[in-house]
Amino acid sequence: MADTIDKGAALLALGEAARAALPQGCVEAVEVERGAELVLRVRRDGLLEAMTLLRDGEGFAFEQLMDLCGTDWPERPERFDVVYNLLSLSLNQRVRVVVGTDAATPVPSVAAIWPVATWYEREAWDMYGIVFEGQTDLRRLLTDYGFEGHPLRKDFPLTGYVEVRYDEERKQVVYEPVKLTQDFRNFDFLSPWEAMTTLPGDEKVHLNRIEGPKAKGGEA
């Protein structure tokens, strides 16, 4: 327990050091989640300065951008969070940086700081429609070329709007509006493994339990 408290205190001190080294208001919040995860919420206009400090600043040394993703909160005016997970190999520590935005306001690209961010920013654009200012390769990555919309937004229908199939007569791939041949009337909400409630041979176990063990030597 003491180790957890000490680690949380050290992470909180690291976050406060980053807040103090940046212009006032750049870091909006410093939190330690689950006692072991440092989270910095940063303003959009101070993102590049904060990221440069976290990579190059003495005592931080977060050399690697491990991941960049989006989250959608439709009920908020700034519905999207852009989440950056950074790793310091030299100091063996991690930090999560969070920046808020909406569907129209761009977030500064960090590709000039970590070139690997290009792939992640394209993915966030494709899935959520988050715009990254300064990203020169902002195009679809996981969806098809003619895809419309952003499938990980909470207001995007699970079935989508169009379906793709190969037309044997036309000898080409065609796009058509989604047609559900039947409703999910008989869907049991179980995975294929969970749906297997019995296996061959289980009936013998049940019979043995019902009949009970057989008596030895003809005893009743």
Side-chain angles (χ1 to χ4, degrees):
M1 183 66 177
D3 292 342
T4 302
I5 295 176
D6 292 343
K7 184 176 182 180
L11 290 174
L12 188 60
L14 182 66
E16 292 298 339
R19 191 207 295 263
L22 291 166
Q24 185 176 6
C26 180
V27 177
E28 298 177 326
V30 178
E31 300 174 357
V32 177
E33 296 182 352
R34 289 175 284 277
E37 300 177 9
L38 175 62
V39 181
L40 303 181
R41 180 166 286 276
V42 178
R43 291 175 49 182
R44 282 190 307 272
D45 55 6
L47 176 64
L48 295 183
E49 189 172 0
M51 290 303 204
T52 303
L53 171 72
L54 292 174
R55 187 192 65 176
D56 302 333
E58 184 178 356
F60 300 104
F62 290 99
E63 306 98 344
Q64 294 191 14
L65 171 66
M66 302 304 296
D67 183 40
L68 184 163
C69 63
T71 59
D72 186 13
W73 308 87
E75 67 280 0
R76 297 185 340 196
E78 291 191 340
R79 64 182 292 179
F80 300 115
D81 278 341
V82 184
V83 183
Y84 306 80
N85 292 301
L86 310 182
L87 170 65
S88 172
L89 289 174
S90 57
L91 300 178
N92 190 27
Q93 57 192 13
R94 296 176 183 268
V95 63
R96 183 182 308 123
V97 179
V98 182
V99 177
T101 189
D102 54 31
T105 307
V107 175
S109 171
V110 297
I113 303 174
W114 294 285
V116 69
T118 295
W119 183 278
Y120 297 135
E121 289 174 352
R122 283 180 58 188
E123 186 177 22
W125 153 251
D126 195 3
M127 296 291 101
Y128 292 96
I130 300 171
V131 181
F132 293 91
E133 184 178 11
Q135 175 53 257
T136 59
D137 194 20
L138 203 61
R139 54 194 171 96
R140 296 282 185 179
L141 180 66
L142 300 178
T143 56
D144 199 11
Y145 299 110
F147 195 89
E148 295 183 6
H150 304 280
L152 287 189
R153 288 188 179 184
K154 295 292 181 64
D155 51 8
F156 191 87
L158 294 178
T159 57
Y161 296 109
V162 297
E163 58 186 4
V164 182
R165 68 177 180 86
Y166 181 77
D167 190 296
E168 185 63 33
E169 294 181 357
R170 297 167 60 179
K171 302 298 182 182
Q172 66 180 34
V173 174
V174 296
Y175 294 84
E176 297 175 335
V178 171
K179 298 177 182 178
L180 300 179
T181 55
Q182 75 174 48
D183 295 331
F184 299 119
R185 291 188 294 269
N186 300 321
F187 191 67
D188 58 9
F189 296 98
L190 294 176
S191 74
W193 295 109
E194 293 170 334
M196 297 177 63
T197 55
T198 59
L199 294 172
D202 285 353
E203 67 277 0
K204 299 178 182 179
V205 177
H206 297 314
L207 288 175
N208 291 337
R209 290 175 179 172
I210 295 173
E211 294 177 358
K214 293 183 179 180
K216 297 182 179 179
E219 295 179 1

